[in-house]
């Protein structure tokens, strides 16, 4: 079973059902039913037209649900006129669905969660991890969002800022998670940048390109993580970096700074440095100051503390870190790194081991465990 194929077809199938008149919540349920049926049937009897098969099955499931639900009698005209079977539309509805999911009746956080689940192809667990909340909490949030839009026609595009947030989270999951969605997020952001003249859209595209340019160097041959300072910069994508920098410079020239432009500026400074030692950490701290002003995000403050440790020394970084909540994700790992930089190897080894227990995925856990083992070996433990 080709799960990547199913994931790539889902937005198009969902878009067809919505265009035929199904409300979003019912259409999403029907598509999920069709995907489950595909997993059951396709290994033994693969269809010639995978998308057409999914559309047919999903539409029939939607009609079955419509017939069974007396509260939806207003859609009886849809039941009477099932469209004839045939090749599915080749129209790419993905970006349109992103906008429709940013519905005015939903809060931005609920709209993002619903889009990630229904269109982005992420699991509830992955979305919960992106939001730093328990999986059960996120499942309830998605269910509430679906109830809110049940029976609502998605015929008005939503907020660009919400769509940008969704694309950013999809890219992050694709960049660091266990489902590769980064290229799809870049493709959709390019589409958005071609349609919407806004510096933050350009800022997000630049940020994605600059991060994606380093992707090949982020892991070793055995799959282990390679920290930025240790990456082989000859493996970076030399085409994406100048493209990202040019897009960013054009956006910054419009003097309407937003968080994605500021994040892209940090990424550009990393990409522009010929070596880790040549990184302009003072300027990176200044951009993090702008990000703090724009977002007041605790994770941004954490990253700023590490940057301060590079620019002004590890003691200054530890002082900045001490002002933050130590329950923040990766707080312990940051403290371990700064203590190692300060020469306190025993404390750093202990903190690396603690951070490994808190790591969100296996690759990060293995990396932190190796850091602890490396320092313990130096200490003769």
């Amino acid at each position: 079973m080709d799960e990547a194929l199913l994931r790539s077809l889902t937005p198009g199938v969902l878009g067809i059902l919505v265009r035929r008149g199904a409300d979003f919540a019912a259409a999403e349920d029907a598509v999920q039913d069709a995907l489950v049926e595909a997993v059951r049937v396709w290994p033994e009897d693969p269809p010639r037209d995978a998308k057409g098969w999914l559309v047919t099955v999903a539409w029939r499931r939607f009609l079955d649900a419509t017939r069974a639900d007396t509260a939806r009698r207003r859609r009886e005209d849809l039941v009477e006129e099932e469209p004839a079977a045939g090749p599915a539309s080749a129209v790419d509805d993905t970006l349109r669905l992103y906008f429709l999911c940013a519905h005015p009746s939903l809060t931005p956080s609920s709209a993002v969660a619903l889009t990630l689940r229904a269109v982005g192809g992420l699991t509830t667990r992955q979305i919960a991890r992106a939001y730093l909340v328990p999986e059960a909490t996120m499942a309830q949030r998605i269910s509430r969002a679906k109830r809110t839009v049940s029976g609502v026609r998605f015929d008005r595009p939503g907020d660009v800022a919400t769509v940008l947030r969704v694309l950013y989270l999809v890219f992050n999951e694709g960049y660091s998670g266990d489902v590769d969605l980064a290229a799809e997020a870049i493709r959709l952001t390019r589409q958005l940048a071609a349609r919407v003249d806004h510096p933050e859209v350009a800022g997000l595209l630049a940020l994605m390109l600059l991060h994606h340019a380093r992707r090949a160097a982020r892991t070793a041959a055995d799959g282990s993580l390679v920290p930025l300072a240790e990456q082989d910069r000859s493996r970076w994508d030399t085409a994406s970096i100048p493209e990202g920098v040019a897009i960013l410079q054009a956006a910054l020239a419009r003097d309407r700074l937003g968080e994605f432009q500021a994040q892209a500026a940090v990424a550009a400074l990393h990409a522009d440095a010929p070596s880790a030692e040549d990184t302009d950490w003072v300027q990176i701290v200044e951009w993090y100051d702008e990000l703090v002003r724009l977002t007041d995000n605790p994770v941004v403050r954490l990253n700023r503390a590490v940057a301060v440790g590079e620019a002004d020394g590890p003691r200054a970084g530890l002082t900045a870190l001490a002002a933050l909540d130590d329950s923040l994700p990766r707080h312990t790992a940051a403290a371990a790194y700064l203590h190692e930089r300060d020469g306190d190897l025993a404390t750093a080894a202990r903190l690396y081991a603690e951070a490994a227990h808190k790591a969100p995925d296996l690759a990060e856990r293995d990396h932190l465990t190796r850091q602890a083992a490396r320092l313990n070996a130096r200490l003769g433990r």
Side-chain angles (χ1 to χ4, degrees):
M1 172 55 60
D2 188 345
E3 293 184 8
L5 173 63
L6 284 178
R7 191 177 301 111
S8 67
L9 293 175
T10 297
V13 177
L14 185 58
I16 289 172
L17 266 64
V18 171
R19 284 205 308 275
R20 288 181 179 180
D23 72 64
F24 185 87
E28 201 269 336
D29 287 340
V31 172
Q32 293 300 321
D33 287 345
L35 294 175
V36 171
E37 186 69 4
V39 170
R40 186 182 70 82
V41 172
W42 286 10
E44 298 296 329
D45 184 20
R48 284 196 298 268
D49 178 5
K51 185 176 181 181
W53 188 99
L54 287 170
V55 169
T56 298
V57 173
W59 184 251
R60 288 174 179 167
R61 293 298 172 91
F62 165 70
L63 293 181
D64 288 343
T66 300
R67 293 187 182 100
D69 190 347
T70 57
R72 296 176 182 175
R73 292 186 183 278
R74 61 188 178 82
R75 289 202 294 260
E76 286 182 353
D77 57 324
L78 296 175
V79 179
E80 298 300 325
E81 298 180 6
E82 178 179 354
S89 168
V91 175
D92 183 357
D93 285 305
T94 308
L95 190 59
R96 174 174 175 268
L97 287 171
Y98 273 54
F99 271 95
L100 295 181
C101 286
H103 198 272
S105 63
L106 294 172
T107 63
S109 62
S110 293
V112 170
L114 179 62
T115 315
L116 290 172
R117 178 71 182 89
V119 188
L122 273 63
T123 65
T124 304
R125 175 181 59 82
Q126 291 166 328
I127 302 168
R129 187 172 63 194
Y131 271 88
L132 309 177
V133 299
E135 184 174 348
T137 300
M138 183 52 64
Q140 292 174 354
R141 184 179 299 177
I142 294 171
S143 294
R144 284 196 301 270
K146 289 178 68 173
R147 286 196 298 272
T148 299
V149 298
S150 179
V152 174
R153 285 295 299 274
F154 274 35
D155 54 4
R156 286 185 296 161
D159 180 42
V160 172
T162 301
V163 174
L164 289 178
R165 179 62 50 193
V166 173
L167 288 168
Y168 178 59
L169 290 173
V170 170
F171 175 81
N172 280 343
E173 188 61 39
Y175 189 66
S176 60
D178 52 10
V179 177
D180 187 358
L181 296 166
E184 172 69 356
I186 292 173
R187 182 183 73 84
L188 292 172
T189 306
R190 284 191 188 279
Q191 286 187 9
L192 185 61
R195 299 178 190 181
V196 178
D197 182 23
H198 193 289
E200 272 294 82
V201 177
L204 178 58
L205 179 57
L207 175 63
M208 289 179 175
L209 290 170
L210 291 165
H211 275 312
H212 205 59
R214 303 200 302 261
R215 186 170 188 178
R218 290 183 71 247
T219 54
D222 61 359
S224 59
L225 292 179
V226 180
L228 177 60
E230 300 171 20
Q231 288 177 13
D232 178 0
R233 299 185 179 218
S234 68
R235 298 184 64 197
W236 289 2
D237 183 349
T238 54
S240 294
I241 291 174
E243 181 186 7
V245 169
I247 292 170
L248 172 63
Q249 288 174 338
L252 292 175
R254 301 177 66 175
D255 199 24
R256 291 165 57 194
L257 184 65
E259 69 170 293
F260 292 124
Q261 294 169 75
Q263 286 191 56
V266 172
L269 287 166
H270 283 300
D272 190 51
S275 68
E277 294 73 23
D278 294 320
T279 304
D280 188 344
W281 286 105
V282 172
Q283 195 172 166
I284 286 176
V285 171
E286 292 174 355
W287 279 112
Y288 273 125
D289 288 339
E290 291 289 348
L291 271 169
V292 169
R293 180 182 63 80
L294 289 166
T295 69
D296 196 28
N297 186 305
V299 176
V300 170
R301 291 183 180 275
L302 177 69
N303 292 335
R304 179 188 177 278
V306 175
V308 168
E310 299 287 359
D312 301 329
R315 296 282 176 91
L318 287 167
T319 299
L321 195 64
L324 304 177
D325 185 348
D326 61 10
S327 68
L328 276 172
R330 298 186 173 88
H331 184 286
T332 307
Y337 172 75
L338 291 170
H339 276 291
E340 181 182 358
R341 288 278 319 281
D342 196 39
D344 187 352
L345 302 190
T347 299
R350 175 178 58 79
L351 290 173
Y352 275 131
E354 288 182 16
H357 287 293
K358 302 175 182 177
D361 57 62
L362 182 60
E364 188 170 336
R365 187 180 315 133
D366 288 347
H367 171 71
L368 293 167
T369 300
R370 282 194 296 273
Q371 298 305 307
R374 174 178 56 82
L375 293 186
N376 282 326
R378 288 180 61 183
L379 292 166
R381 295 177 176 175

